Amino acid sequence: MPFFEMIQVEDQQQAASFVVNRLTKDINEKTLHSLGLATGSTMIPIYKSIIHSSLDFSQVTAFNLDEYVGLAPTNKNSYAFFMQEHLFSKKPFKETYIQNGLAENLESECIRYENKLTECPLDIQFLGVGENGHIAFNEPGTSFDSTTHVANLTDSTLGVNSQYFDDHEEIPTRAFTMGIASIMNAKQIILLAFGEKKRQAIEALLGDEITEQLPITVLKRHPHVTVITDIK
């Protein structure tokens, strides 16, 4: 029987406190060995609270959901850079994995990353959700059976992401991403969604339909999902 938990919060700081408490419990109970992480503005307050907590990740391996194709880890818009800036440089992990944006062979990089996930199954995966219902960079229409792959980003996603790039910079149109099947293999999923722009996606998750046109709806098939949101 699927376990679906809705946590209503007043703001992102309250959400961050909930996350820290959940992670503290799992680390104390020695049930957290592998953690799937996300990027983006939704995660920044979460990572700030984690940094200022007493959480010890020295025995935890971290995996990131996605990375832009063509961006070096030193590029300020790469997700490798984001993770270093907001978490990894301040809270050491046992190991950290993120797809190599400069990989010469994209297919081989996808296989390498998926194999790592198989070797070290995720205990918890953090997720955000796009306005069009995408999870990670699994855009509408992505197969529920997909594993780590290179995604072509939609105009909707590119429009949202453009705020992070200078006008003269070219926004990557492709990204490595864990596939939907990769995400669904996690033992627990924690989805965070804030603001009215995410209402349609959350309502789709709470509705009856499960469709590849709204990737978030696949979470209804997962055995243990927690949704943290300020949407009422």
Side-chain angles (χ1 to χ4, degrees):
M1 185 73 180
F3 175 81
F4 192 90
E5 180 182 26
M6 283 287 291
I7 305 295
Q8 290 280 347
V9 294
E10 293 302 318
D11 52 34
Q12 287 175 272
Q13 191 52 53
Q14 192 176 352
S17 297
F18 177 89
V19 168
V20 168
N21 290 338
R22 172 68 65 88
L23 293 176
T24 300
K25 175 178 178 291
D26 288 351
I27 288 176
N28 288 343
E29 293 176 357
K30 295 182 168 53
T31 59
L32 182 63
H33 310 288
S34 182
L35 182 62
L37 299 173
T39 53
S41 56
T42 296
M43 295 304 299
I44 291 175
I46 307 297
Y47 293 150
K48 280 184 178 177
S49 289
I50 287 174
I51 288 164
H52 291 112
S53 75
S54 60
L55 284 166
D56 179 4
F57 293 111
S58 61
Q59 299 304 309
V60 178
T61 299
F63 287 87
N64 261 81
L65 281 171
D66 36 34
E67 177 61 288
Y68 287 116
V69 171
L71 294 192
T74 53
N75 186 301
K76 65 182 178 65
N77 287 309
S78 73
Y79 289 156
F81 188 95
F82 177 100
M83 293 307 303
Q84 278 297 126
E85 181 180 24
H86 292 288
L87 185 60
F88 294 155
S89 64
K90 302 172 181 71
K91 271 284 183 185
F93 281 71
K94 180 181 178 181
E95 291 181 283
T96 60
Y97 291 101
I98 189 165
Q99 300 94 336
N100 177 10
L102 296 182
E104 292 185 10
N105 187 315
L106 304 186
E107 184 177 357
S108 294
E109 178 61 10
C110 293
I111 293 170
R112 180 194 74 85
Y113 203 75
E114 190 66 28
N115 286 341
K116 284 290 183 185
L117 288 168
T118 302
E119 291 169 13
C120 193
L122 296 171
D123 294 305
I124 296 175
Q125 174 65 62
F126 284 106
L127 285 182
V129 60
E131 294 174 28
N132 63 1
H134 75 238
I135 50 176
F137 275 129
N138 295 292
E139 300 282 14
T142 302
S143 169
F144 286 164
D145 296 325
S146 60
T147 55
T148 301
H149 63 282
V150 173
N152 294 312
L153 308 185
T154 64
D155 289 342
S156 168
T157 298
L158 290 171
V160 172
N161 290 359
S162 65
Q163 65 185 298
Y164 304 111
F165 290 80
D166 296 334
D167 289 342
H168 66 276
E169 289 183 290
E170 187 171 333
I171 304 170
T173 58
R174 296 187 298 168
F176 290 105
T177 183
M178 282 190 207
I180 291 175
S182 314
I183 292 167
M184 292 290 282
N185 282 334
K187 294 173 188 173
Q188 296 183 46
I189 291 173
I190 298 177
L191 176 84
L192 300 116
F194 306 103
E196 281 300 310
K197 289 183 178 180
K198 304 299 176 72
R199 178 176 293 279
Q200 186 174 353
I202 294 301
E203 287 178 348
L205 176 60
L206 299 177
D208 296 327
E209 189 177 23
I210 299 176
T211 170
E212 291 179 350
Q213 294 308 311
L214 287 165
I216 190 176
T217 61
V218 74
L219 299 183
K220 287 197 274 277
R221 294 178 176 169
H222 193 277
H224 197 300
V225 174
T226 299
V227 179
I228 307 175
T229 183
D230 63 354
I231 299 168
K232 298 175 180 177

